């Protein structure tokens, strides 16, 4: 197979005012694992044919959740879990009453279980790279 390296450069003849037109220029050919020949010099984004120096080291901002937000999340998680367990036990103890029977206790327990799971899903959201390594953060992400 024959591959070509295409360089898209500014076409000064077609560019007008604020509109910039580009044209594709084949610069190199590659066939059977070897570069054949240079058809045209490759033009880099600074407008020269000089190979630019390496890019600077990328500094990543992990956007870790601060401890205050984690504390709020844990407190809300505790409130949701306590209320879900409380309402589920209230449903269990009052399952013989007419009002609870008409609302179907199994359905009420299902809603409480779903609310419990929703509240517990806050826990993996508080785990990030400030708490654990990359593998632990990946596991927490998949658990959510």
């Amino acid at each position: 197979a024959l591959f070509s390296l295409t360089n898209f450069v500014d076409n000064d003849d077609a560019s007008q005012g604020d509109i910039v037109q580009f044209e594709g220029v084949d610069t190199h050919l590659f066939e059977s694992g070897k570069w054949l020949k240079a058809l045209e010099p490759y033009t880099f984004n600074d407008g020269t044919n000089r190979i630019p120096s390496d890019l600077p080291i990328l500094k990543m901002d992990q956007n870790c959740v601060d401890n205050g937000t984690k504390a709020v999340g844990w407190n809300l998680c505790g409130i949701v879990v306590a209320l879900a367990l409380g309402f589920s036990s209230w449903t269990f103890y009052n399952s013989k009453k007419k009002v609870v029977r008409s609302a179907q206790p199994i359905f009420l327990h299902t809603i409480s279980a779903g609310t419990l799971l929703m509240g517990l899903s806050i826990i993996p959201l508080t785990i990030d790279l400030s708490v654990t390594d990359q593998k632990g953060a990946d596991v927490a992400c998949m658990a959510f």
Side-chain angles (χ1 to χ4, degrees):
L2 177 66
F3 299 96
S4 66
L5 178 63
T6 304
N7 187 199
F8 290 94
V9 294
D10 182 16
N11 185 348
D12 292 329
D13 297 334
S15 297
Q16 306 169 5
D18 291 342
I19 299 173
V20 178
Q21 296 287 326
F22 292 95
E23 67 176 329
V25 177
D26 290 334
T27 59
H28 294 79
L29 298 176
F30 185 82
E31 185 175 29
S32 302
K34 294 183 182 180
W35 291 100
L36 299 179
K37 61 180 180 174
L39 304 173
E40 296 279 336
Y42 191 89
T43 305
F44 292 94
N45 61 353
D46 62 355
T48 66
N49 299 340
R50 198 175 60 246
I51 297 174
S53 62
D54 286 341
L55 294 173
I57 296 174
L58 182 63
K59 295 179 184 176
M60 292 187 61
D61 180 10
Q62 299 295 337
N63 271 344
C64 294
V65 180
D66 63 296
N67 290 334
T69 306
K70 286 181 187 179
V72 170
W74 280 90
N75 285 327
L76 290 174
C77 174
I79 291 169
V80 169
V81 167
L83 286 173
L85 292 175
F87 285 127
S88 184
S89 52
W90 179 88
T91 302
F92 178 74
Y93 290 120
N94 294 306
S95 61
K96 301 294 183 200
K97 293 187 177 180
K98 186 177 182 178
V99 173
V100 177
R101 276 188 295 151
S102 66
Q104 300 180 353
I106 294 173
F107 176 69
L108 296 174
H109 285 297
T110 304
I111 290 177
S112 292
T115 306
L116 178 72
L117 286 175
M118 182 218 40
L120 290 175
S121 71
I122 295 173
I123 295 172
L125 290 174
T126 62
I127 299 173
D128 55 18
L129 293 176
S130 67
V131 177
T132 185
D133 61 352
Q134 184 65 47
K135 185 176 181 183
D138 290 343
V139 169
C141 184
M142 288 184 276
F144 178 70

